[in-house]
């Protein structure tokens, strides 16, 4: 049975981090009334979407991303989740995640989130060095992140993911491994280690000359050592940047990487549904206005109708991010030109950057390190 993921975008933050180019607004640009209005607009959008749909869509993951979803009150989470429960066929074991910033979490907030139905937290720790956290404009300290983690455990969250960033300004091998060790010592079920992406139009990019960043080779070395360290501690790498204990891979993100359909609600949210990819505009005011008009379709920009060839190319790109790799027979089903792509993989198989086992083709550890350039060679 086809199962879909739902993404809900919450575009509010306490303040803007120096490296962030996500669509999110700092506290100076909205009020608590705006947040309440936004939640009502989300409810209207969900209601409009399910109107006239004969059958309920089966959903096995719900993901509140942002922005800082943990700024919502327990009651606001409850409003959205209750409506989703009425509107969709939510599986009993659905994974229901909220991205959370440690500076927004209290014991009461976490209890309310748990009571509302959330069963997974993605905690944006980024680093356990206070100096690094301050440099990138995070509002929490390392101690607050640790405290938030323990509070979440106390409140019954038994599925917690921590995010770390590699390549931060001023980061050294020692400080990165200290952050990694501290993360591991908390025993989260999931860990993500993302390389810093310096995006134009962010304060960090504009001020880049004032900082010292660890070089590319140093970062590659640190990442490779981190993979080994995490493996020793029971974290299996299942995607380029993601590691999980057995049974705790992020189901929601797997929907994206498997090329499954997903529905996005809220400002700036993307959907891939019935073969069409669309993304909502990054315009909070316009979104709030749709609450009275109900015209959320006009708010979304249709980006692409995904034809078979595009679907096959996406499948190659996304599935090879995963350690489980791509299924050759699935690729053959998707495109009559599979031989073209598979032929290009031959060289990488010979050089040991890729491996084939039965029906599956995947990168080796060495291949992952240069996966971007291999993918662009295969696809373009
Ligand atoms: S908390 Fe997250 S979404 Fe908000 S500004 Fe920082 S990085 Fe961006």
């Amino acid at each position: 049975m086809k199962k879909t993921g739902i993404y809900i975008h919450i575009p509010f933050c306490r303040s803007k981090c120096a490296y962030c180019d996500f669509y999110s607004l700092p506290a100076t640009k909205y009020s608590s009334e705006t947040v309440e209005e936004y939640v009502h607009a989300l409810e209207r959008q969900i209601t409009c979407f399910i109107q006239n749909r004969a059958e309920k869509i089966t959903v096995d993951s719900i993901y509140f991303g942002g922005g800082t979803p943990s700024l919502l009150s327990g009651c606001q989470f409850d409003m959205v989740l209750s409506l989703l429960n009425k509107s969709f066929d939510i599986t009993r074991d659905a994974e229901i995640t909220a991205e959370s910033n440690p500076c927004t979490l209290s014991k009461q907030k976490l209890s309310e989130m748990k009571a509302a139905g959330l069963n997974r937290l993605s905690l944006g720790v980024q680093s356990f060095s206070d100096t690094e956290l301050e440099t990138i404009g995070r509002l929490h300290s390392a101690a607050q992140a640790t405290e938030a983690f323990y509070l979440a455990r106390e409140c019954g969250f038994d599925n917690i993911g921590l995010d770390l960033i590699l390549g931060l300004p001023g980061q050294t091998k020692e400080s990165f491994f200290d952050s990694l060790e501290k993360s591991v010592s908390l025993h989260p079920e999931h860990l993500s280690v993302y390389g810093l992406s310096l995006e134009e139009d962010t304060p960090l990019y504009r001020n880049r000359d004032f900082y010292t960043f660890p070089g590319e080779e140093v970062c590659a070395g640190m990442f490779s050592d981190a993979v080994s360290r995490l493996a020793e501690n029971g974290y299996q790498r299942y995607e380029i940047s993601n590691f999980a204990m057995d049974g705790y891979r992020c189901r929601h993100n797997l929907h994206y990487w498997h090329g499954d359909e997903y529905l996005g609600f809220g400002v700036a949210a993307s959907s891939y549904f019935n073969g069409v990819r669309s993304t909502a505009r990054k315009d909070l005011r316009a979104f709030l206005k749709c609450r009275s008009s109900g015209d959320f379709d006009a708010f979304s920009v249709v980006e692409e109708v995904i034809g078979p060839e595009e679907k096959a190319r996406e499948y190659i790109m996304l599935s090879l991010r995963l350690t489980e790799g791509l299924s050759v027979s699935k690729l053959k089903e998707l495109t009559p030109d599979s031989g073209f792509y598979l032929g290009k993989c031959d060289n990488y198989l010979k050089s040991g950057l890729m491996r084939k086992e039965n029906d599956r083709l995947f990168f080796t550890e060495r291949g992952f390190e240069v996966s971007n350039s291999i993918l662009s060679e295969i696809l373009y």
Side-chain angles (χ1 to χ4, degrees), residues 12-13 15-17 19-22 24 66-68 101 126 138:
F12 309 108
C13 288
S15 70
K16 200 76 189 161
C17 302
Y19 58 95
C20 178
D21 78 333
F22 299 129
S24 67
T68 305
N101 187 318
Q126 321 308 1
R138 299 289 297 184

Side-chain angles (χ1 to χ4, degrees), residues 150-336:
Y150 284 127
L151 284 177
R153 282 286 196 239
E154 245 182 79
C155 295
F157 282 96
D158 53 11
N159 189 357
I160 305 179
L162 300 187
D163 289 358
L164 290 179
I165 303 181
L166 177 71
L168 291 172
Q171 194 175 53
T172 61
K173 244 182 174 182
E174 290 68 34
S175 70
F176 171 71
F177 281 101
D178 183 58
S179 291
L180 192 74
E181 292 304 330
K182 285 188 172 137
S183 304
V184 168
S185 71
L186 294 173
H187 305 297
E189 283 67 31
H190 191 280
L191 265 160
S192 305
V193 182
Y194 295 111
L196 175 72
S197 167
L198 253 190
E199 302 295 341
E200 280 184 42
D201 215 22
T202 60
L204 197 61
Y205 179 85
R206 285 192 290 277
N207 298 324
R208 63 194 180 284
D209 293 340
F210 296 110
Y211 299 114
T212 310
F213 295 87
E216 242 175 71
E217 269 187 34
V218 177
C219 286
M222 290 199 281
F223 189 81
S224 162
D225 290 347
V227 173
S228 314
R229 186 78 192 99
L230 289 171
E232 285 161 20
N233 282 277
Y235 293 94
Q236 294 163 359
R237 185 187 200 182
Y238 68 101
E239 193 265 350
I240 292 182
S241 310
N242 285 280
F243 305 81
M245 293 282 189
D246 208 16
Y248 288 97
R249 296 176 180 201
C250 175
R251 189 187 289 168
H252 187 79
N253 285 339
L254 281 170
H255 275 311
Y256 299 141
W257 296 320
H258 285 155
D260 300 339
E261 290 195 329
Y262 52 88
L263 291 165
F265 294 104
V267 68
S270 293
S271 299
Y272 171 49
F273 195 65
N274 287 342
V276 177
R277 170 147 326 107
S278 58
T279 300
R281 280 155 47 201
K282 296 178 176 178
D283 185 340
L284 180 63
R285 272 170 194 271
F287 182 75
L288 295 178
K289 275 191 194 154
C290 292
R291 189 181 161 197
S292 45
S293 68
D295 194 6
F296 289 96
D297 285 346
F299 184 72
S300 283
V301 178
V302 174
E303 284 182 343
E304 276 178 286
V305 175
I306 308 292
E309 199 52 37
E310 192 51 33
K311 177 93 187 139
R313 292 163 65 81
E314 281 198 353
Y315 177 63
I316 295 170
M317 194 172 64
L318 295 170
S319 62
L320 283 176
R321 293 182 65 93
L322 296 167
T323 50
E324 70 188 37
L326 71 72
S327 152
V328 173
S329 51
K330 180 167 175 183
L331 183 64
K332 284 182 178 163
E333 271 169 37
L334 287 172
T335 171

Side-chain angles (χ1 to χ4, degrees), residues 36-45 48 286-296:
E36 185 71 14
E37 229 185 296
Y38 185 77
V39 171
H40 289 306
L42 276 174
E43 289 182 304
R44 182 84 206 277
Q45 186 185 23
C48 290
F287 182 75
L288 295 178
K289 275 191 194 154
C290 292
R291 189 181 161 197
S292 45
S293 68
D295 194 6
F296 289 96

